[in-house]
């Protein structure tokens, strides 16, 4: 019995000691180093617009639906790209709800971009990401949207393609991950916001 | 299955092999009370001070019963500590978002889940937990439950390596040294590297940014008291709401994520876990996170080899793990790349694979690889939603968990789980040749096999028992006539898979989910919380008993009839044992879930 009390006492002391070091000192060290070396990133990679208002984060997608903008992937985060409520649809491969939404999205995508019914739609354009905040679309998806955006804005397709290229990330080091076009950065560039 | 994917896979395996030996050698020093490390000048004084506060003599070892008692009591106290913080977060500090206190059942579930290294999350982190809850209540367990796991693996390995010994080490010394010399130093550097990739680490309130294109959405109308307004049919009345800003969750994420991955905890800061762009900003952060899951478990096999003075045995265990790992990656990758035939019929490009629930920056390969790694180990972090995987692509993570997470496995938990299978494999080999089984110079006797079998039975009992109960009672699945619609996000076989995955994940202390399941109900929180406790402690106690029994045994000289525990034959037998036990236990349940769903998907059935 005495041993048990010793262990209880040890457990309480250990919990306190470790909490101070692991939950107090350690995060503060990381906080200090992060704020010192990578302040912009540690604070969320936020983007300032021309008038110095915050307009978004480089890492988080936003909802766009007008013809003059590139459109992001569908999102299941809150009402769409809710960055305080990240989520996927969590619909399974035999879900009727999922198939209905994909069907509607495929039709809409073809209509928006003036595509014929034999053009295959890139999967990322009609499916939701895991986070609901995916900042990227695939290169193929962006390419299919170029004519629409160029026409709406009265720009040449090559001009728009250049901007797409400038806002394409990865693969990192030429090898890691898949390439993706950052939709928010691209649309801000089109608007001349950055 | 692209060339680029193969190259990335080769890179991953190379990196894993590269860290195994140096980290294994370092573990030898960390797990020896008198071991010297290059961190001694910094950490030694803190270590001594800790022992002084605890009145622990680091030279004094414990027998298995005392070791177990210390471990159990410590775990219980830390669980209570977290429960208290969650219940009181509304009146404690560091709560700029004014989060309310967490409910009783959710607090129990969360405290149990984090204490057991499971990190199952029934809640949405960014809208439930205060910074204090995340940083202290939850992050402390990320370190401590991982350190407990490694300590127990070390105790078991000591039991195997020693002979005629009563003791298996000192719990407090193991716990302290693993935390101070292994986890804390690696995490301090790793977390800053993650920040360099874009992971956040701050204490500011959530940011609000102006949207370039505001939009309107439909939300339920609420009256003055905040209750939803219902129409005569009882449905909520909807009203338009203009959304012109984006609220961005912030907080001390990087410090928590580093240990979440290295300690194979897996509990996300954000709801979307490692799919969230802040929680896994780039392919490099993704690569490092995957590497950090397997680093310590892989190194522990090297530690095992050194400790039992048979490096061949360490590598044989490593190889067995690698074979199953490789198989899982290839199967999951293949089916995710092949995609969903029903979507292809709708006009979706078959070349792009199954992108539902996946992030563009990771793509198919890195999503399938991450899913396999996180469930081979008991990590449970996810960079894509397993619920939306194709049936067989999603079978891999589910089966990985049900095999006992012994494929590299959780930190410590993977090794001690695999060693149970080693004991069984040796026992089976002994039966086949009709000799008393021997393992590294020790006779394996009925007591040892009983303890090993108990561990295996707990897994099947808890997973299948709870799943069956959830399907049959009115709380788990309110429509008892087989339509698993309430509580689960999907119906048909996939709804059953969600339930089976939930109990597998909790019993296996994994923490990943087929996340559509709405598990934040009193019944699910209670049963899933119990499953995490069973899965952890009902396994650890017999394992420590096994360690105690093995340590006591006398060494017998090996003879021509001794079954060698290194080389391809042993590796094959070990893989066979793991797969056979897993398949026999779980095949019937799996055939009702993912396997039948695979055929139904190809037949075009929708639910």
């Amino acid at each position: 019995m005495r041993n048990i009390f010793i262990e209880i006492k040890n457990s309480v002391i250990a919990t306190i000691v470790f909490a101070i070091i692991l939950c107090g000192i350690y995060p503060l060290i990381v906080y200090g180093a992060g704020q010192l070396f990578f302040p912009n990133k540690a604070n969320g990679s936020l983007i300032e617009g021309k008038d110095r208002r915050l307009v978004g984060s480089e890492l988080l997608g936003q909802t766009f639906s007008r013809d003059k903008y590139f459109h992001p992937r569908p999102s299941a985060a809150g009402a769409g790209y809710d960055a305080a409520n990240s989520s996927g649809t969590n619909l399974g491969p035999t879900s009727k709800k999922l198939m209905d939404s994909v069907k509607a999205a495929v039709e809409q995508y073809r209509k928006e971009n003036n595509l014929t019914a034999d053009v295959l739609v890139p999967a990322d354009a009609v499916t939701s990401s895991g986070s609901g905040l995916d900042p990227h679309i695939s290169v193929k998806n962006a390419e299919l949207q170029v004519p629409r955006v160029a026409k709406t804005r009265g720009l040449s397709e090559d001009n728009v393609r250049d901007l797409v290229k400038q806002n394409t990330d990865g693969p990192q080091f030429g090898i890691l991950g898949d390439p993706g076009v950052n939709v928010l950065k691209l649309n801000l560039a089109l608007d001349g916001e950055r | 299955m692209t060339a680029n994917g193969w190259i990335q896979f080769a890179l991953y395996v190379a990196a894993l092999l590269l860290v195994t030996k140096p980290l294994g050698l370092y573990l030898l020093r960390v797990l020896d009370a008198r071991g010297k490390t290059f961190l001694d000048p910094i950490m030694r004084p803190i270590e001594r001070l800790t022992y002084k506060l605890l009145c622990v003599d680091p030279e004094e070892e414990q027998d298995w019963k005392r070791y177990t008692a210390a471990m159990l009591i410590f775990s219980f106290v830390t669980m209570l500590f977290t429960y208290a913080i969650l219940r009181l977060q509304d009146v404690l500090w560091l709560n700029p978002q004014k989060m309310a206190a967490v409910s009783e059942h959710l607090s129990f579930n969360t405290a149990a889940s984090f204490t057991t290294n499971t990190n199952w999350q029934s809640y949405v982190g960014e809208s439930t937990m205060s910074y204090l809850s995340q940083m202290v209540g939850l992050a402390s367990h990320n370190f401590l439950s991982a350190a407990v796991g490694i300590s127990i693996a070390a105790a078991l390995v000591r039991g195997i390596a020693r002979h005629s010994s009563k003791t298996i080490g000192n719990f407090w010394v193991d716990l302290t040294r693993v935390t101070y010399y292994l986890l804390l130093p690696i995490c301090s550097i790793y977390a800053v590297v993650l920040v360099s990739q874009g992971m956040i680490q701050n204490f500011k309130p959530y940011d609000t940014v102006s949207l370039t294109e505001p939009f309107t959405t439909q939300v339920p109308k609420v009256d003055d008291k905040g209750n939803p307004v219902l129409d005569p049919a009882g449905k909520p009345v909807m009203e338009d709401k203009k959304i012109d800003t984006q609220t961005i969750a912030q907080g001390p994420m990087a410090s928590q994520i580093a240990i979440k991955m290295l300690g194979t905890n897996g509990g996300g800061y954000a709801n979307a876990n490692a799919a969230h762009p802040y929680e896994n900003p780039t392919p490099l952060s993704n690569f490092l996170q995957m590497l950090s899951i397997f680093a310590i478990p892989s190194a522990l096999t090297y530690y095992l080899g050194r400790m039992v003075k048979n490096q061949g045995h360490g590598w044989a265990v490593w190889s067995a793990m690698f074979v199953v790992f490789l198989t899982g990656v290839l199967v999951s990758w293949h089916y995710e790349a092949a995609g969903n035939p029903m979507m292809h019929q709708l006009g979706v490009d078959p070349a792009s694979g199954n992108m539902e629930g996946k992030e563009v920056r990771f793509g198919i390969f890195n999503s399938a690889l991450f899913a396999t790694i996180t469930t081979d180990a008991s990590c449970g972090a996810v960079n894509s939603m397993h619920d939306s995987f194709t049936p067989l692509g999603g079978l891999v993570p589910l089966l990985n968990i049900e095999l006992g997470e012994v494929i590299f496995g959780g930190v410590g938990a993977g090794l001690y789980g695999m060693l149970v299978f080693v004991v069984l494999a040796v026992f089976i080999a002994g039966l086949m040749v009709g000799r008393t089984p021997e393992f590294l110079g020790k006779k394996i006797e009925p007591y040892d096999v009983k303890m090993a079998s108990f561990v295996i039975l707990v897994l099947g009992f808890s997973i299948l028992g709870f799943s069956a109960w959830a399907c049959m009672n009115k709380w788990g699945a309110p429509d008892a006539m087989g339509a698993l619609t309430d509580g689960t996000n999907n119906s048909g076989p996939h709804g059953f898979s969600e339930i089976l995955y939930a109990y597998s994940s909790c019993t296996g202390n994994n923490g990943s989910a087929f996340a559509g399941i709405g598990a934040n109900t009193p019944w699910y929180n209670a049963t899933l919380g119990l499953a995490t406790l069973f899965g952890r402690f009902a396994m650890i106690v017999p394992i420590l008993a096994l360690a105690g029994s093995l340590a006591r045994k006398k060494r017998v000289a090996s003879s021509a009839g001794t079954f060698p525990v290194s080389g391809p034959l042993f590796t094959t037998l070990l893989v066979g044992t793991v797969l056979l036990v897993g398949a026999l236990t779980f095949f019937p349940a799996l055939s009702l879930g993912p396997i039948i769903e695979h055929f139904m998907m190809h037949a075009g059935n929708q639910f």
Side-chain angles (χ1 to χ4, degrees):
Chain A
M1 243 354 244
R2 215 187 121 251
N3 284 344
I4 290 181
F5 282 115
I6 293 177
E7 301 298 9
I8 292 176
K9 185 207 73 183
N10 278 353
S11 300
V12 172
I13 297 172
T15 306
I16 295 166
V17 171
F18 287 133
I20 292 169
I21 293 174
L22 304 174
C23 312
I25 299 172
Y26 159 69
L28 286 176
I29 290 175
V30 178
Y31 173 72
Q35 296 291 334
L36 188 64
F37 298 119
F38 313 103
N40 178 42
K41 290 183 164 164
N43 289 315
S45 310
L46 299 175
I47 306 174
E48 274 184 2
K50 267 194 308 214
D51 54 357
R52 313 227 54 177
R53 282 178 318 156
L54 291 177
V55 293
S57 162
E58 284 178 32
L59 294 172
L60 306 174
Q62 285 181 10
T63 305
F64 287 97
S65 60
R66 286 189 206 148
D67 281 346
K68 65 172 184 169
Y69 291 121
F70 280 85
H71 298 170
R73 305 178 62 185
S75 163
Y81 289 93
D82 180 345
N85 216 342
S86 58
S87 175
T89 63
N90 283 309
L91 293 171
T94 51
S95 159
K96 186 168 182 333
K97 209 168 148 192
L98 176 63
M99 292 312 143
D100 289 348
S101 81
V102 169
K103 192 173 175 208
V106 167
E107 279 162 13
Q108 198 194 338
Y109 188 84
R110 282 185 176 146
K111 201 170 122 204
E112 279 169 2
N113 297 301
N114 209 9
L115 304 173
T116 53
D118 59 344
V119 177
L120 293 174
V121 177
D124 67 285
V126 293
T127 54
S128 309
S129 64
S131 61
L133 298 170
D134 196 342
H136 295 115
I137 54 176
S138 68
V139 177
K140 222 182 222 172
N141 182 355
E143 176 56 36
L144 288 171
Q145 297 190 41
V146 165
R148 184 197 75 226
V149 174
K151 197 174 147 203
T152 317
R153 289 182 176 260
L155 296 168
S156 81
E157 291 191 7
D158 284 343
N159 269 349
V160 176
R161 259 186 212 109
D162 278 347
L163 282 177
V164 169
K165 212 166 189 184
Q166 283 167 25
N167 289 289
T168 303
D169 299 324
Q172 217 172 358
F173 314 116
I175 189 72
L176 287 180
D178 284 13
V181 179
N182 189 309
V183 179
L184 177 62
K185 275 161 73 178
L186 174 58
N187 285 337
L188 290 174
L190 281 166
D191 276 357
E193 283 282 346
R194 45 180 283 138
Chain B
M1 299 173 83
T2 57
N4 184 268
W6 286 104
I7 297 172
Q8 292 185 69
F9 188 54
L11 266 178
Y12 180 78
V13 175
L16 183 65
L17 276 169
L18 213 63
V19 300
T20 299
K21 185 176 170 183
L23 195 56
L25 289 174
Y26 184 66
L27 276 169
L28 272 173
R29 294 160 178 260
V30 172
L31 292 168
D32 173 359
R34 279 176 232 161
K36 290 197 170 30
T37 73
F38 68 99
L39 287 168
D40 282 1
I42 311 167
M43 299 312 292
R44 198 73 184 178
I46 309 176
E47 184 192 0
R48 285 216 188 93
L49 179 68
T50 308
Y51 295 149
K52 206 178 240 175
L53 288 170
L54 294 178
C55 305
V56 163
D57 175 6
E59 299 285 320
E60 191 189 354
E61 291 215 333
Q62 300 166 321
D63 64 14
W64 81 266
K65 284 179 187 152
R66 185 74 192 267
Y67 198 104
T68 309
M71 181 274 298
L72 285 176
I73 292 169
F74 176 69
S75 300
F76 182 71
V77 167
T78 55
M79 182 173 152
L80 218 58
F81 173 72
T82 295
Y83 182 84
I85 289 182
L86 296 180
R87 295 287 295 138
L88 297 172
Q89 72 170 11
D90 56 329
V91 294
L92 293 172
W93 321 270
L94 275 179
N95 188 8
Q97 291 306 118
K98 307 262 179 294
M99 303 291 185
V102 182
S103 68
E104 292 94 337
H105 55 89
L106 181 57
S107 298
F108 162 72
N109 179 280
T110 307
S113 150
F114 275 72
T115 305
T116 55
N117 200 266
T118 309
N119 299 24
W120 169 271
Q121 293 166 299
S122 290
Y123 56 85
V124 174
E126 56 267 55
S127 60
T128 313
M129 296 294 166
S130 72
Y131 290 173
L132 183 82
S133 293
Q134 295 266 23
M135 254 173 73
V136 181
L138 305 181
S140 60
H141 285 293
N142 285 356
F143 279 99
L144 298 175
S145 68
V148 168
I150 298 171
S151 302
I152 288 158
L156 179 58
V157 171
R158 286 186 201 116
I160 295 168
R162 290 174 182 181
H163 52 96
S164 315
S165 164
K166 275 202 181 111
T167 61
I168 55 171
N170 184 315
F171 174 73
W172 299 109
V173 174
D174 286 342
L175 183 74
T176 307
R177 291 187 59 87
V178 168
T179 307
Y180 288 170
Y181 290 94
L182 183 68
L183 302 177
L184 190 56
I186 296 181
C187 283
S188 302
I189 296 165
Y190 178 28
V192 179
V193 174
L194 290 175
V195 174
S196 80
Q197 294 299 302
M199 194 176 292
I200 53 173
Q201 178 76 8
N202 57 56
F203 294 97
K204 58 183 182 175
Y206 293 3
D207 279 306
T208 305
V209 304
S210 332
L211 287 181
T212 304
E213 187 188 316
F215 62 100
T216 44
T217 185
Q218 295 251 300
V219 293
K221 197 171 172 177
V222 289
D223 60 20
D224 300 338
K225 287 175 194 153
N227 297 318
V229 181
L230 301 179
D231 66 8
K235 284 197 178 146
V237 178
M238 304 299 274
E239 62 179 353
D240 279 349
K241 186 182 168 196
K242 188 166 182 234
I243 297 187
D244 51 14
T245 56
Q246 185 184 36
T247 302
I248 300 178
Q250 298 289 348
M253 188 186 269
S255 53
Q256 193 173 325
I257 300 312
I259 184 60
K260 154 198 161 194
M261 306 310 293
L262 187 72
T264 65
N265 296 280
Y269 192 94
N271 185 46
N273 209 295
H276 193 295
Y278 278 164
E279 210 163 317
N280 199 354
T282 64
L284 177 64
S285 71
N286 189 61
F287 186 86
L288 291 174
Q289 293 195 14
M290 293 192 296
L291 185 62
S292 61
I293 298 177
F294 270 1
I296 294 176
S298 178
L300 275 168
T301 64
Y302 193 87
Y303 167 77
L304 168 72
R306 273 293 166 115
M307 285 292 284
V308 301
K309 300 198 172 54
N310 183 347
Q311 205 59 57
H313 178 56
W315 285 117
V317 171
W318 191 93
S319 308
M321 293 170 166
F322 184 76
V323 169
V324 189
F325 164 54
L326 180 68
T327 315
V329 173
L330 296 185
V331 171
S332 186
W333 184 16
H334 170 80
Y335 284 103
E336 290 314 295
N340 186 332
M342 285 195 277
M343 283 194 198
H344 302 159
Q345 278 168 13
L346 297 173
V348 174
D349 187 356
S352 39
N354 174 26
M355 284 301 287
E356 179 65 34
K358 294 190 181 64
E359 307 287 302
V360 168
R361 64 191 179 283
F362 305 138
I364 299 290
F365 170 72
N366 280 302
S367 301
L369 179 62
F370 198 112
T372 312
I373 291 172
T374 195
T375 49
D376 277 342
S378 69
C379 182
V382 294
N383 78 349
S384 55
M385 295 302 127
H386 295 183
D387 211 350
S388 298
F389 271 36
T390 58
L392 297 187
L395 170 84
V396 170
L398 180 55
L399 183 62
N400 279 339
I401 298 173
E402 292 175 344
L403 292 179
E405 291 163 339
V406 292
I407 309 143
F408 296 102
V411 285
L415 185 68
Y416 62 66
M418 192 53 139
L419 285 170
V420 166
F421 280 104
V422 168
V423 168
L424 275 188
V426 170
F427 173 66
I428 291 169
L431 287 183
M432 286 196 276
V433 295
R435 284 179 54 99
T436 310
E438 284 167 28
F439 173 45
L440 294 166
K442 305 257 178 75
K443 279 203 166 68
I444 300 294
E445 288 162 306
Y447 178 82
D448 310 310
V449 178
K450 270 183 208 159
M451 289 299 126
S453 309
F454 189 83
V455 171
I456 307 253
L457 287 174
V458 167
L459 194 68
F461 180 78
S462 175
I463 293 174
L464 297 175
F466 275 123
S467 297
W469 191 16
C471 292
M472 296 304 292
N473 78 28
K474 67 186 167 80
W475 302 286
D479 184 352
M481 295 313 288
L484 299 170
T485 46
D486 288 358
T488 62
N489 191 34
N490 291 276
S491 356
H494 202 78
F496 173 70
S497 297
E498 285 184 342
I499 295 176
L500 182 64
Y501 198 105
Y503 289 102
S504 300
S505 173
C506 282
T507 306
N509 295 157
N510 186 279
S512 69
F514 273 13
I517 192 165
N520 191 8
T521 64
W523 194 81
Y524 268 124
N525 275 334
T527 51
L528 289 168
L530 285 175
T532 65
L533 295 173
F534 277 137
R536 177 83 162 180
F537 299 111
M539 292 198 191
I540 287 181
V541 174
I543 281 168
L544 285 171
L546 181 65
S549 155
L550 289 172
R552 273 196 304 274
K553 288 180 200 286
K554 290 199 181 65
R555 191 178 290 275
V556 291
S558 64
S559 65
T562 304
F563 183 71
V565 287
S566 54
L569 180 64
F570 172 73
T571 298
T572 312
L573 185 74
L574 184 55
V575 171
T577 309
V578 171
L579 293 182
L580 197 67
V581 170
L584 286 177
T585 316
F586 296 106
F587 182 77
L590 291 172
S591 61
L592 292 175
I595 295 176
I596 197 166
E597 193 190 11
H598 172 73
F599 293 111
M600 294 183 118
M601 178 180 78
H602 278 275
N605 287 301
Q606 294 179 14
F607 297 92

